[in-house]
Amino acid sequence: MIDRRLRTMLPWFLSVLLWSHPHATGSGGSRPIPQQPARTPDIFFVPTSDAVADEMLKLAHVSADDVVYDLGSGDGRIVILAAQKYGARGVGIELDPRLVETSRAVARDAEITDRVKFVVGDLFDADISEATVVTLYLSYSVNRRLKPKLLRELRPGARVVSHQFTMGTWTPEKRIPAEDHTDLLLWTIPPR
């Protein structure tokens, strides 16, 4: 009974924690937060809903054995949810230092800094070889540019889940409708 209530309330709690945290607006804490990314991002931040984030992790069959990388991690909710609900370790790569600071603050408050880290960086330059699962909510063009990196750096069997956007001619092995009326797509890195 308690477990069911926790699972039902977790998305709500995570959403409230993320959006009510003082670092979400850059107004909290004593450290100055850098205001601009090092370069202009290819896309702008649109948060994935908690329900869709959870659907993405379920589609990838995330477990405590996984290392989840979220490329373009925004406010960190996918990585945080992967750690809190599934016991996975996770890494968020994000260009915007303000969003990284928000993610780090939420992870500290949730007491999961031993399982997650957030890095200010360019997803095209990041070493993603440790990932067993990669989550994406980017764009068609960014996904197409990212495909060679995923195939080159990820180990065979690693799973890639994209919210809404395909990867050119790479056919997903699974495509399911999401709660927000978009699609979630799953690929598995093939043997070399």
Side-chain angles (χ1 to χ4, degrees), residues 15-178:
S15 188
V16 168
L17 187 61
L18 283 169
W19 294 110
S20 65
H21 199 280
H23 288 288
T25 60
S27 62
S30 58
R31 288 184 293 156
I33 299 171
Q35 295 301 309
Q36 296 298 320
R39 71 169 182 83
T40 302
D42 295 305
I43 57 167
F44 58 91
F45 171 59
V46 175
T48 301
S49 74
D50 295 329
V52 172
D54 195 33
E55 289 175 332
M56 292 173 76
L57 297 170
K58 285 178 185 172
L59 179 60
H61 298 286
V62 169
S63 74
D65 297 328
D66 283 308
V67 180
V68 176
Y69 272 58
D70 188 18
L71 304 183
S73 59
D75 60 16
R77 71 180 62 205
I78 293 175
V79 171
I80 290 168
L81 183 62
Q84 286 183 319
K85 185 171 180 179
Y86 298 95
R89 290 183 299 128
V91 177
I93 309 292
E94 172 59 50
L95 269 177
D96 188 333
R98 293 170 298 178
L99 290 170
V100 170
E101 186 58 35
T102 296
S103 302
R104 289 173 179 163
V106 173
R108 276 192 302 276
D109 290 350
E111 300 178 351
I112 56 169
T113 56
D114 59 325
R115 287 182 290 171
V116 300
K117 71 178 178 178
F118 295 95
V119 178
V120 176
D122 188 320
L123 57 90
F124 290 105
D125 298 330
D127 177 2
I128 60 170
S129 60
E130 184 187 14
T132 58
V133 174
V134 172
T135 58
L136 311 168
Y137 187 21
L138 300 169
S139 71
Y140 295 112
S141 63
V142 174
N143 279 10
R144 278 193 307 274
R145 288 177 35 218
L146 192 57
K147 176 187 166 189
K149 177 182 180 67
L150 297 169
L151 291 169
R152 182 178 61 250
E153 292 186 24
L154 296 176
R155 292 177 294 235
R159 289 97 66 207
V160 178
V161 177
S162 176
H163 178 193
Q164 186 172 350
F165 302 107
T166 61
M167 265 189 259
T169 59
W170 191 12
T171 304
E173 64 191 66
K174 200 174 233 184
R175 181 184 206 125
I176 64 167

